[in-house]
Amino acid sequence: MMHSHIVGIGGYLPERIMTNHDLEKIVDTSDSWIRERTGISRRHIIGREQATSDMAAAAARQALADAGLTINDIDALIVATTTPDMIFPSTATIVQSKLDGKDFPAWDIQAVCSGFVYGLAHADCMIRAGMFRRVLLIGSEAMSRIVDWTDRTTCVLFGDGAGAVVLEGREQEGGVVGSVLHADGAYRDLLKAEHAHGHASPDSFHREGIDFATDAAGIAAVEMKGNEVFRVAVTKLGEVVNEILQRYELEDKDIDWLIPHQANIRIIQATARKLGMDMQRVAQTVKDHGNTSSASVPLALNELYRSGQLQPGQTILLEAFAGGFAWGANLIKWTKQGFSNGT
Ligand code: ACO
């Protein structure tokens, strides 16, 4: 029987960093408010001439190099994104071309901040079914292009970046144990954005060095009822981590690492408490990345991996909650050798 193993991991964060103090110049907010309510201190902002596909390609190159593979060793490419370069073609086909890939299928999936967790479930099922041997899965987001930079209740929360993994089917035990996915569209109005806008946009409204999705005509972007989202997120994430442990007959104590979606440190802490986990065993990048939507889980995984702390035999739990609402979790029995000092 085939199991999907992560054999390569990569990440990309744009050069430009926007601190909370930089935000104080744009909206009526303060560094202390943002840190206390969200745990965020800074976030990366995509360059003016860059697109979601550029960040995705950069993360993919690192993941392929880490796996010792080239793009044409890949059998399928999936990009999870909320901020596609264009409505069509898919960002995945653009990434394929930027990486000089040929012929293999490439497509996008959209589950907002849960995109990577959903994508991992898709890729795992297709590998187990024998459809593909190697899948390149990327989460890439230019959230700064779809936030309303005049709305202090949302613009302080998000950041840009990309994370990628190469999955490979092997008969060896371990790898992805399984996934649990959920959605409930009855909640769709609590968190939404009505326009896609991930492409490089030299003509867009430009202030303080960032591109504003909200142009002079005031086109709306991310809208969120933060309090209500917070409440449902904590409940559903608590339920989904219990559900996945029960389904695969594991207990809280069996989890070595929690790699949560990085939306808000208070949501992360609540899920860790539910699992009885020490925060030392929880990947935390929200402070430096903000909420990078579908990129947040693979970016957190990449940081943990490159810190050398992930070891073969460890069990890791990924989880995410997103607009829709759409949420889910994946369990992985880690098999890749620990990374140390770039070797
Ligand atoms: N700076 C200063 N004050 C602010 C800011 C800001 N950036 N934003 C809001 N405030 C004010 C509000 O206006 C309000 O003022 P008032 O009391 O005078 O009316 C006060 O701060 C408290 O506002 P709340 O909304 O109650 O603050 P809360 O503690 O709920 O924190 C937050 C807001 C951080 C957004 C929180 O609700 C949250 O994290 N929600 C969940 C976000 C999330 O997880 N999203 C899911 C994934 S995202 C995705 O899928 C794309």
Side-chain angles (χ1 to χ4, degrees):
M1 179 180 162
M2 278 297 168
H3 300 274
S4 315
H5 296 262
I6 292 180
V7 298
I9 310 171
Y12 173 80
L13 290 160
E15 228 168 83
R16 168 141 198 245
I17 292 173
M18 180 184 272
T19 66
N20 293 346
H21 295 294
D22 295 328
L23 278 165
E24 287 170 350
K25 296 178 201 147
I26 298 175
V27 286
D28 179 15
T29 190
S30 67
D31 173 54
S32 59
W33 190 97
I34 302 171
R35 277 190 292 105
E36 279 160 28
R37 302 287 177 125
T38 71
I40 300 167
S41 292
R42 59 188 72 83
R43 71 286 291 143
H44 292 253
I45 302 290
I46 190 168
R48 220 174 158 195
E49 308 298 331
Q50 283 180 304
T52 293
S53 60
D54 294 314
M55 297 191 294
R61 280 189 198 99
Q62 194 180 39
L64 287 166
D66 185 42
L69 297 171
T70 66
I71 186 64
N72 288 310
D73 295 321
I74 294 301
D75 304 309
L77 192 167
I78 305 173
V79 174
T81 188
T82 315
T83 52
D85 286 19
M86 308 176 191
I87 292 170
F88 73 85
S90 69
T91 303
T93 55
I94 300 170
V95 173
Q96 182 194 44
S97 149
K98 287 184 176 174
L99 294 173
D100 294 325
K102 287 261 179 282
D103 291 338
F104 57 80
W107 68 96
D108 290 0
I109 62 165
Q110 159 61 304
V112 209
C113 303
S114 295
F116 185 84
V117 166
Y118 265 58
L120 192 65
H122 280 61
D124 177 41
C125 289
M126 289 186 287
I127 287 171
R128 282 174 196 266
M131 189 167 181
F132 303 117
R133 177 154 175 252
R134 294 194 186 110
V135 179
L136 174 57
L137 170 65
I138 309 169
S140 184
E141 301 283 12
M143 294 305 285
S144 66
R145 298 248 166 88
I146 63 162
V147 295
D148 177 350
W149 288 97
T150 64
D151 176 8
R152 69 176 182 173
T153 68
T154 51
C155 76
V156 303
L157 305 174
F158 297 96
D160 303 331
V165 297
V166 178
L167 290 151
E168 183 175 278
R170 293 181 183 167
E171 289 194 357
Q172 174 194 352
E173 286 296 321
V176 181
V177 177
S179 305
V180 167
L181 304 178
H182 290 283
D184 187 344
Y187 290 108
R188 66 191 180 278
D189 284 333
L190 295 184
L191 178 54
K192 61 182 180 183
E194 293 184 4
H195 304 276
H197 193 65
H199 59 84
S201 56
D203 298 329
S204 64
F205 179 48
H206 199 70
R207 188 155 63 92
E208 300 288 341
I210 46 172
D211 286 326
F212 284 68
T214 308
D215 64 12
I219 295 171
V222 173
E223 298 168 62
M224 177 169 72
K225 297 202 167 60
N227 265 318
E228 290 167 65
V229 176
F230 189 96
R231 198 170 33 79
V232 184
V234 168
T235 308
K236 297 297 185 193
L237 287 171
E239 288 170 8
V240 83
V241 294
N242 280 342
E243 183 185 353
I244 197 165
L245 291 178
Q246 271 174 21
R247 181 177 296 182
Y248 297 102
E249 297 177 346
L250 293 176
E251 295 176 30
D252 299 356
K253 64 173 176 47
D254 298 322
I255 305 303
D256 295 294
W257 292 101
L258 174 66
I259 306 188
H261 170 46
Q262 310 283 320
N264 184 315
I265 194 68
R266 293 185 291 140
I267 298 176
I268 295 172
Q269 285 162 341
T271 311
R273 261 197 309 277
K274 186 95 190 172
L275 289 165
M277 284 187 81
D278 189 320
M279 288 301 281
Q280 304 279 7
R281 311 297 282 170
V282 180
Q284 297 170 60
T285 51
V286 68
K287 176 171 175 284
D288 296 323
H289 300 177
N291 179 348
T292 57
S293 190
S294 70
S296 98
V297 169
L299 275 170
L301 173 66
N302 185 48
E303 292 223 345
L304 184 62
Y305 170 62
R306 281 165 203 281
S307 75
Q309 296 176 86
L310 270 181
Q311 296 299 326
Q314 291 181 334
T315 302
I316 67 174
L317 175 54
L318 316 184
E319 49 86 337
F321 185 83
F325 293 147
W327 65 101
N330 321 102
L331 264 178
I332 303 174
K333 197 80 170 161
W334 198 250
T335 50
K336 191 163 173 20
Q337 287 300 321
F339 183 97
S340 82
N341 304 322
T343 57

